[in-house]
């Protein structure tokens, strides 16, 4: 039992390191509208935090088994577009990875920072 725990902790540390290094890369993105550098950094951090939450949503066996594939998919995700809506308090962020179709998020500037909501499209 101790060996399994050590192995799980080791895997989680490696995955955490890969996530940390993977999220600290520069992205070429299009920004439509006027945003300060501080706002853009806050938006990018909020979206990346939301994506990291999806990597290991809980400690269930299914989540642990999906960890490598989910981690790879999220590390390959890139922010393509940040588009300011009618007010500068709301932006739409579009993300693309090599395995998934384009994803969209609505990011709203609240009193305590930027908050992310996934936009679901019906086709």
């Amino acid at each position: 039992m101790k060996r399994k725990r050590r192995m799980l902790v080791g895997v989680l540390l490696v995955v955490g390191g890969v996530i940390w290094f993977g999220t600290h890369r520069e992205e070429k993105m299009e920004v439509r509208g006027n945003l300060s550098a501080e706002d853009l950094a806050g938006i990018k951090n909020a979206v990346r935090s939301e994506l990291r939450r999806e990597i290991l949503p809980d400690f269930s066996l299914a989540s642990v088994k999906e960890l490598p594939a989910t981690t790879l998919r999220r590390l390959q995700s890139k922010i393509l577009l940040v588009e300011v809506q009618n007010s500068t308090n709301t932006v739409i962020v579009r993300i693309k990875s090599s395995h998934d179709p384009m994803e969209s998020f609505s990011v709203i500037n609240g009193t305590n920072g930027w908050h992310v909501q996934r936009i679901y499209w019906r086709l």
Side-chain angles (χ1 to χ4, degrees), residues 19-67:
I19 291 169
W20 188 81
F21 283 114
T23 57
H24 288 83
R25 66 186 187 284
E26 289 298 315
E27 295 172 305
K28 293 181 181 180
M29 70 182 81
E30 180 182 353
V31 178
R32 293 182 187 163
N34 293 325
L35 285 173
S36 68
E38 182 179 301
D39 284 339
L40 187 58
I43 291 165
K44 287 175 14 180
N45 285 334
V47 170
R48 288 185 184 133
S49 292
E50 182 67 24
L51 293 174
R52 280 192 300 269
R53 265 184 272 236
E54 296 175 1
I55 291 175
L56 191 65
D58 54 37
F59 288 104
S60 68
L61 185 58
S63 292
V64 173
K65 284 182 179 178
E66 289 293 320
L67 188 62

Side-chain angles (χ1 to χ4, degrees), residues 60-104:
S60 68
L61 185 58
S63 292
V64 173
K65 284 182 179 178
E66 289 293 320
L67 188 62
T70 307
T71 302
L72 180 64
R73 197 167 44 247
R74 286 300 159 209
L75 287 178
Q76 292 175 344
S77 297
K78 293 182 181 178
I79 298 174
L80 296 178
L81 173 67
V82 177
E83 183 176 8
V84 178
Q85 297 302 294
N86 295 333
S87 71
T88 56
N89 289 336
T90 304
V91 298
I92 300 296
V93 177
R94 302 205 194 287
I95 295 175
K96 177 76 173 119
S97 75
S98 60
H99 298 293
D100 294 329
M102 191 171 297
E103 299 177 85
S104 297

